[in-house]
Amino acid sequence: MSQGRGIREGSEKQVHWFVLLYLLLLALPCMGFLPNFWSRVLTLSWDSHTHQYITEQAILNVTLETLRDTRKHQGTPAEEQTRLGRSFWRAVGEVVKSNADMDFLSSTRSNPVYHFDSERVDSAMLMLRQFWTQTVLSVRAKEYQSARHSLGQLFHSLQDFYSHSNWVEMGQRSVYLHLLQPEEPAIPVAKEDTPTCMECFSNTCRNNLLPRLTNTQEDSQLLTTGYFSTFPLKPHGKCSHGGVLDSSRYMGAKGGINKDSTSPFFSPHHYLHVKAASLATEATLTVLRDLRDTVGHKTFLRLFSVKQVPALVFVMDTTGSMFEEITAARLRAHSIIQNRVNSPEQPGTFVLVPFHDPEVGPVHETGDPNQFMQHMENLMALGGGDEPEMCLSAIQLALTHSPPLSDIFVFTDASPKDAHMFDAVKALILEKQSKVTFLLTEDPNYTTESRGRRRRRSKKPLSPDRFSLYSSLSSLSGGLTIFTTNSDIHRVSAIVEDSTAADKVTLLHVESDQELMSVRSFRVDSSVNNVTLHVTGSMTECILTSPLDESQSLLNEQGPLAELEHFQGLYRIRLLPPTQPGQWKLQAKSDGHLTFSVIGDSRVDFLYYFATVTNETHPGLARVAGSPVAGVPAFLVLAVTGLASDEQVFFSHATLVGAEGQSLQQVKLNSSSSSSSFHSLEELVGLVDSVPTVPFCVRLAGQDSKGNKLERVSTDMVQPTHFQIQVLSGPRLVPGHSTMVDFDILNHGSTQLFSFTADDDCGYLNTRGPHRFPVSERGSFRGQVYLHTPATAQAGATVTLTLTVHAIDSSDSNYAVAYLTVVPLDPDTSSPSCSAARVQSNCPSICNESSWSVSLVVSDIGRSGLAALQLQKGDGILTLFQSPPATQDSHGEAQPGFNEQQVDNDKTTTGSHHHHHKAKLKTGDSPFNVSEWVLGSSQPLWVRYQSSCCSAHAEMLVWDTAGNMKRCHLTSGKQRQLRDRSTETSGTGRITLTGVLFLLLGLLWSPLL
């Protein structure tokens, strides 16, 4: 737990020890580094490094490093952490969840390939490289959620290698480059009939590996990894994974070699845990830096939603009656964009989805505000027809194209024609924790053709509850449904600007159907500013009371507490500064439905999820997919974000709050201690004795540094259920091929009939349903859905698959969402190579009087061909040639002007039949595109780097068109031997002296150009 913050003393700090003892009995074997913070409790190894800890630390460090490199952020590391934002920690959480799921999902937890178990090293390396390719493809396609998913999978397997293999025992102090770079030197894996371990009869196994498996001599080393359980069966003499619950440890050779934790009961090589974790961390850092350099700094920050302003997402009805609404949305968008011009935050996402009947889209998604405004200007209010429109289909597209935690605003005056999409849209809202607000310019009580939908013709009377689906979606997402008029729509749309400003937090969100006076209260702490209340409906009386017991009748008088604006369907109340900290009360009287929403500006907010203790192969808390099961215990895990390092904030409990504000259950919270090194994040966990059976939201309670009570409220309403649906596999999609996705439905209630529906946003599903089938009490049902990927599908594209299941005789439902990525059938996973032809260095003791140079041949050993080069580090000039340069260039002799600070790209005629391209690059230049220079995938390029002897090191990055990257370290001859050794410890490529062969190849190739 961070210094300066804590949990209240006394009863609120007690742990449910009887629960922990029960959970310990449930815990089964541990494979890989422990999944998350709760695993430390279950294994009694409080100082173990978990997958969660390693992943969070690495992402945070590289993110802060990247921000420093942009030179736009000059704050201290603690200040930078505080400003990272809630969206950043949500993105990190997605990577961590994907990492942990490898230990929890039935399709991966026992498969040795995913964990580098049972000497399946070659298959595991192939899978690692496929994860890398998938991640790069997804990032380039701007499918960031899919990229975070595959990145988490990559991290899990990569980290497991150092815990499960004998790499540490061989005395290795650097990461194993060959895992992700096939051109790097490989260490052979012990054959199936080669013994690897000796017998060990104690919990701690020392020196139980055979001598060749701990040999530090490179030419005689062998790799091995431990066998786990009974599948696959361990050959005699092989090493086991080990630990008290690994059944294979009883087979010869007895014992084990895993370094998963510091507990000797779970890890026979526990004494090497810290070294294994250190290498796993370094490997994770290396992957992140390689990814950043492959996709670019700005894209890397967008991948993790770093300091991004909230997305602006509009779903626009474009039928002929919508002229005023479109105009209002344009003006509001323009105002928001103008206010963000000088924002220090990263650019946000802009999404526009137009719709009418029968067309939906196209989706306009961009990070360029000017381009977004151009799309808005192009909207035309034309056509019309029957009153219902394809609104839910448009909302589905908005959800799949916008980031999580987005606010989505729907402008329409029509009810939904596509009501069958309700479950899919509901599932996406809950999965992404996004808010949907409807601005409806139509009277819900209108049932004739005398009003409203100009140039529309309704052939039958309209139902007064035709907008009920909209109200349901806004209610469960924490948004609003506002019934207004064309004359008021511009002023009502101010809610868009209120909601999409940076650092907005929710202090209250509640609905009321009481016809008598209702009293609602909310708390303001010292970190909150600019408090705004939105009330939808029609009030006949409204009284605001401050913490000092001052009152103001908002409908009848002006006063010192707040100012009120009333538009048709919406009351907008702004507390006047200075805002008094403490409890505020709002008394409201109405003859109908009211919704109260209170928001303010503050960095302090929270994320949450529900989890259950795994009782399979890995001890830890497994995050609940979909809605939690009602009536059973579960853990509530919260991550409080935006905390300053000098703030003393205490969090005591969370309250589960019903839709009308009633308290359902209080949950005591304790620190998980996993976030002790994060200044801006506090992770808390509490036991929910029994999940409520009715919808609820989560309210976090604590106390700020000035003694004021602190409260934050989640906007989305949790929908408890009595059954679960789990996606068992998330296969890759291959163009021109069909794919099967397995799922399980688990019934925790009585026997009942279910309806199952599948949907996707690209139309790849063969059948969608609904399908009906019974599931017995405490029973399960396994099914499959099939997708066919067109041959024209773009690599990197993501298909969002939504599975929903509904009880026929009740309102119970649940959902699962899977992100499936399109990848080539046989992707290129080989990195380019860079080979030194000659290094010339005459560096005297006075370095500024001379220079050094190196000539290289750069080629792609895969099938994709070279794409780009960049000088990442170094003070010299990198010169590129399409064909072998003149002899003096290729030999690296000093040329005049080696320190010129310029980049050029010219063509000079070297013969009567071809041109000789030449470019000069320096550090700080963007990657230089060379794909047009290369006529074939095997054609090399020639490079000469020249620098002052005062700068003895440089680094060049080379990419192929598949996204594989190579780091090439360039050093002066005087430093060369040392540098060649150091490159092996940095996770980057090495330069060898085999480039002369490539020069000869080039001389043969050049006449063909």
Side-chain angles (χ1 to χ4, degrees):
M1 184 173 60
S2 302
Q3 187 175 1
R5 296 197 298 274
I7 308 300
R8 288 183 178 273
E9 300 295 331
S11 63
E12 293 176 336
K13 195 173 182 179
Q14 293 178 358
V15 179
H16 298 269
W17 291 108
F18 69 95
V19 176
L20 299 185
L21 292 173
Y22 171 70
L23 298 180
L24 281 170
L25 293 175
L26 290 179
L28 288 179
C30 168
M31 293 170 53
F33 288 107
L34 301 175
N36 51 37
F37 68 90
W38 200 249
S39 309
R40 295 167 169 170
V41 177
L42 297 178
T43 60
L44 303 180
S45 56
W46 309 103
D47 54 349
S48 292
H49 294 265
T50 64
H51 282 294
Q52 176 184 353
Y53 177 83
I54 293 170
T55 301
E56 287 177 342
Q57 282 281 358
I59 294 175
L60 178 63
N61 289 338
V62 176
T63 297
L64 295 176
E65 181 183 292
T66 305
L67 286 171
R68 288 193 296 270
D69 289 345
T70 63
R71 299 176 184 174
K72 294 181 181 179
H73 307 271
Q74 302 298 329
T76 65
E79 292 171 340
E80 291 294 343
Q81 280 195 43
T82 303
R83 293 197 292 262
L84 286 173
R86 180 168 172 249
S87 294
F88 167 78
W89 290 110
R90 157 84 192 212
V92 172
E94 290 179 15
V95 180
V96 170
K97 176 185 181 299
S98 176
N99 186 325
D101 279 349
M102 298 281 273
D103 280 340
F104 298 143
L105 295 178
S106 60
S107 58
T108 56
R109 64 189 176 216
S110 299
N111 187 334
V113 174
Y114 289 101
H115 306 281
F116 274 95
D117 284 334
S118 309
E119 296 185 324
R120 300 299 194 266
V121 175
D122 291 338
S123 298
M125 284 193 296
L126 177 61
M127 185 198 61
L128 272 186
R129 295 162 190 170
Q130 290 174 344
F131 283 146
W132 166 262
T133 300
Q134 183 175 337
T135 301
V136 172
L137 287 172
S138 295
V139 173
R140 288 181 168 177
K142 299 181 180 179
E143 301 284 3
Y144 298 125
Q145 275 194 281
S146 179
R148 293 191 286 265
H149 178 70
S150 56
L151 188 62
Q153 293 175 308
L154 187 158
F155 284 159
H156 185 97
S157 299
L158 181 67
Q159 292 160 4
D160 272 359
F161 170 79
Y162 297 97
S163 174
H164 293 184
S165 72
N166 62 322
W167 184 259
V168 174
E169 287 84 348
M170 286 192 292
Q172 299 286 356
R173 298 180 180 178
S174 60
V175 298
Y176 187 25
L177 302 178
H178 184 70
L179 292 179
L180 282 165
Q181 300 179 34
E183 75 283 0
E184 290 295 332
I187 295 176
V189 180
K191 295 181 179 179
E192 187 175 352
D193 58 353
T194 301
T196 55
C197 265
M198 296 179 285
E199 301 284 357
C200 170
F201 299 99
S202 63
N203 291 329
T204 299
C205 293
R206 297 182 185 272
N207 304 316
N208 61 325
L209 282 159
L210 292 174
R212 189 177 178 187
L213 279 300
T214 58
N215 198 328
T216 58
Q217 300 297 320
E218 291 187 10
D219 57 348
S220 58
Q221 291 178 328
L222 273 182
L223 263 181
T224 188
T225 64
Y227 282 73
F228 181 80
S229 192
T230 58
F231 178 81
L233 191 65
K234 185 180 80 170
H236 185 77
K238 289 293 186 180
C239 300
S240 286
H241 177 85
V244 293
L245 297 173
D246 173 19
S247 59
S248 77
R249 78 186 193 280
Y250 295 115
M251 307 174 187
K254 297 180 177 65
I257 63 170
N258 91 71
K259 297 161 282 292
D260 295 343
S261 72
T262 57
S263 167
F265 298 103
F266 287 87
S267 301
H269 283 200
H270 59 91
Y271 51 90
L272 295 175
H273 169 77
V274 173
K275 289 184 178 180
S278 177
L279 287 173
T281 301
E282 181 60 33
T284 306
L285 289 166
T286 298
V287 168
L288 285 166
R289 289 171 180 142
D290 285 351
L291 180 62
R292 176 193 63 193
D293 293 334
T294 296
V295 302
H297 283 51
K298 289 183 179 179
T299 301
F300 180 84
L301 294 177
R302 187 174 285 272
L303 168 65
F304 291 106
S305 300
V306 176
K307 296 186 179 181
Q308 287 191 356
V309 295
L312 186 58
V313 187
F314 284 166
V315 177
M316 298 294 308
D317 185 343
T318 59
T319 43
S321 59
M322 292 294 295
F323 176 80
E324 288 89 349
E325 293 87 335
I326 292 173
T327 302
R330 281 192 193 122
L331 294 173
R332 194 59 62 185
H334 183 266
S335 175
I336 292 170
I337 289 169
Q338 288 300 112
N339 291 335
R340 292 180 177 181
V341 167
N342 297 318
S343 170
E345 310 296 325
Q346 299 292 325
T349 298
F350 299 88
V351 178
L352 172 63
V353 186
F355 73 94
H356 59 278
D357 183 15
E359 295 181 5
V360 178
V363 179
H364 303 293
E365 180 185 356
T366 179
D368 183 352
N370 295 323
Q371 191 176 63
F372 177 74
M373 283 308 304
Q374 186 60 54
H375 291 311
M376 291 293 297
E377 294 296 334
N378 292 338
L379 289 179
M380 301 288 290
L382 296 173
D386 291 343
E387 195 270 352
E389 303 291 353
M390 303 292 286
C391 185
L392 298 186
S393 297
I395 297 173
Q396 180 199 31
L397 289 178
L399 285 162
T400 57
H401 285 81
S402 59
L405 307 177
S406 291
D407 279 81
I408 298 171
F409 298 92
V410 183
F411 292 78
T412 185
D413 59 0
S415 58
K417 187 176 185 177
D418 46 0
H420 64 278
M421 295 295 300
F422 177 81
D423 283 342
V425 171
K426 174 183 173 182
L428 289 171
I429 287 173
L430 294 173
E431 195 274 334
K432 288 205 163 190
Q433 295 180 301
S434 291
K435 261 195 302 190
V436 182
T437 292
F438 294 87
L439 294 88
L440 303 173
T441 49
E442 179 75 342
D443 185 346
N445 297 316
Y446 166 63
T447 59
T448 72
E449 297 184 25
S450 63
R451 181 202 176 274
R453 302 196 58 76
R454 303 168 302 283
R455 292 179 296 279
R456 298 197 185 212
R457 297 292 181 264
S458 179
K459 297 181 181 180
K460 58 183 179 179
L462 302 178
S463 169
D465 64 350
R466 63 191 181 278
F467 298 110
S468 61
L469 294 184
Y470 295 161
S471 298
S472 296
L473 292 176
S474 65
S475 177
L476 70 89
S477 70
L480 300 170
T481 297
I482 305 170
F483 293 98
T484 187
T485 62
N486 292 306
S487 58
D488 272 350
I489 184 62
H490 176 65
R491 292 183 295 171
V492 168
S493 65
I495 193 172
V496 178
E497 212 154 343
D498 292 342
S499 303
T500 56
D503 298 323
K504 285 296 179 185
V505 298
T506 301
L507 307 178
L508 173 71
H509 189 91
V510 67
E511 299 183 12
S512 175
D513 286 317
Q514 299 178 15
E515 294 186 4
L516 301 176
M517 183 75 75
S518 62
V519 180
R520 303 298 175 184
S521 63
F522 59 92
R523 293 190 179 275
V524 176
D525 58 87
S526 56
S527 72
V528 178
N529 297 299
N530 301 326
V531 178
T532 303
L533 293 77
H534 297 128
V535 182
T536 65
S538 178
M539 294 188 293
T540 57
E541 189 175 350
C542 183
I543 301 173
L544 180 69
T545 304
S546 75
L548 299 179
D549 211 27
E550 297 176 276
S551 296
Q552 178 183 341
S553 179
L554 296 175
L555 297 182
N556 303 320
E557 63 184 50
Q558 293 184 342
L561 300 182
E563 61 180 17
L564 177 143
E565 296 176 278
H566 178 211
F567 320 119
Q568 180 65 40
L570 177 68
Y571 299 87
R572 184 171 179 256
I573 305 167
R574 187 175 67 88
L575 299 191
L576 296 175
T579 305
Q580 299 173 20
Q583 180 172 277
W584 291 72
K585 293 182 181 179
L586 187 70
Q587 296 172 273
K589 188 175 182 180
S590 172
D591 56 0
H593 183 88
L594 294 177
T595 302
F596 302 87
S597 178
V598 183
I599 58 176
D601 294 350
S602 175
R603 294 189 186 278
V604 181
D605 206 347
F606 75 100
L607 300 160
Y608 76 95
Y609 63 88
F610 288 90
T612 57
V613 176
T614 175
N615 60 352
E616 299 295 340
T617 58
H618 307 82
L621 281 185
R623 188 177 306 199
V624 172
S627 298
V629 176
V632 300
F635 283 91
L636 175 64
V637 183
L638 301 97
V640 185
T641 63
L643 296 170
S645 58
D646 58 350
E647 277 187 307
Q648 293 186 346
V649 183
F650 300 88
F651 301 100
S652 55
H653 65 277
T655 303
L656 309 185
V657 181
E660 295 191 359
Q662 72 275 28
S663 177
L664 302 176
Q665 187 177 156
Q666 191 174 99
V667 182
K668 296 178 181 179
L669 299 175
N670 289 272
S671 173
S672 74
S673 77
S674 70
S675 54
S676 58
S677 59
F678 304 140
H679 299 295
S680 63
L681 184 75
E682 181 74 19
E683 194 165 43
L684 308 165
V685 61
L687 177 64
V688 179
D689 296 323
S690 177
V691 174
T693 58
V694 297
F696 63 89
C697 66
V698 178
R699 183 174 66 212
L700 173 66
Q703 184 174 296
D704 67 15
S705 57
K706 297 183 179 179
N708 300 307
K709 290 186 178 180
L710 180 152
E711 287 185 355
R712 295 291 184 272
V713 179
S714 67
T715 56
D716 55 314
M717 297 294 292
V718 179
Q719 309 286 307
T721 183
H722 293 89
F723 46 86
Q724 295 174 286
I725 179 169
Q726 299 176 348
V727 176
L728 302 181
S729 60
R732 303 174 182 89
L733 304 180
V734 178
H737 290 70
S738 293
T739 304
M740 181 179 72
V741 178
D742 294 305
F743 65 89
D744 269 351
I745 294 174
L746 309 175
N747 182 16
H748 296 272
S750 59
T751 301
Q752 55 185 318
L753 187 65
F754 291 99
S755 174
F756 168 81
T757 305
D759 199 274
D760 75 291
D761 60 334
C762 295
Y764 291 179
L765 274 166
N766 290 344
T767 57
R768 299 174 180 272
H771 306 285
R772 293 191 175 194
F773 46 83
V775 181
S776 62
E777 181 177 359
R778 307 292 176 181
S780 64
F781 173 87
R782 176 161 295 183
Q784 300 83 30
V785 293
Y786 296 86
L787 302 94
H788 182 77
T789 308
T792 56
Q794 181 183 2
T798 294
V799 176
T800 303
L801 176 65
T802 307
L803 308 180
T804 57
V805 60
H806 215 101
I808 298 297
D809 58 353
S810 73
S811 60
D812 260 8
S813 67
N814 211 337
Y815 67 92
V817 178
Y819 301 97
L820 309 178
T821 304
V822 178
V823 298
L825 178 61
D826 184 20
D828 178 6
T829 59
S830 298
S831 302
S833 69
C834 46
S835 301
R838 181 167 180 174
V839 178
Q840 180 160 329
S841 175
N842 297 304
C843 291
S845 57
I846 302 176
C847 63
N848 60 3
E849 294 183 353
S850 189
S851 65
W852 65 277
S853 64
V854 57
S855 296
L856 308 100
V857 179
V858 179
S859 62
D860 182 30
I861 61 177
R863 306 178 304 276
S864 303
L866 296 173
L869 285 85
Q870 182 183 37
L871 184 62
Q872 179 83 345
K873 298 177 183 177
D875 295 333
I877 294 294
L878 189 71
T879 307
L880 281 62
F881 304 91
Q882 183 187 21
S883 56
T887 304
Q888 62 267 28
D889 282 349
S890 62
H891 288 171
E893 294 180 3
Q895 300 291 323
F898 66 86
N899 59 346
E900 57 187 324
Q901 300 299 304
Q902 65 178 19
V903 179
D904 60 35
N905 180 14
D906 54 36
K907 298 180 181 180
T908 56
T909 303
T910 59
S912 58
H913 298 292
H914 77 280
H915 293 88
H916 176 71
H917 292 256
K918 179 178 178 181
K920 293 184 178 180
L921 308 176
K922 63 179 183 297
T923 300
D925 292 335
S926 300
F928 186 79
N929 186 355
V930 297
S931 58
E932 296 180 357
W933 290 20
V934 181
L935 300 183
S937 61
S938 61
Q939 181 186 348
L941 291 177
W942 288 260
V943 174
R944 178 171 60 83
Y945 177 76
Q946 196 163 14
S947 175
S948 163
C949 287
C950 296
S951 177
H953 305 286
E955 183 178 272
M956 177 179 68
L957 306 183
V958 186
W959 294 273
D960 64 16
T961 57
N964 301 302
M965 188 190 73
K966 180 74 171 181
R967 290 184 186 272
C968 306
H969 284 279
L970 316 177
T971 60
S972 65
K974 185 177 181 179
Q975 305 270 346
R976 182 168 180 74
Q977 185 176 2
L978 173 64
R979 189 59 176 173
D980 277 352
R981 289 198 299 268
S982 68
T983 55
E984 297 180 15
T985 70
S986 63
T988 55
R990 297 177 298 168
I991 298 174
T992 65
L993 294 177
T994 59
V996 176
L997 297 176
F998 285 98
L999 281 177
L1000 295 175
L1001 173 63
L1003 292 173
L1004 293 173
W1005 181 281
S1006 56
L1008 303 177
L1009 297 179

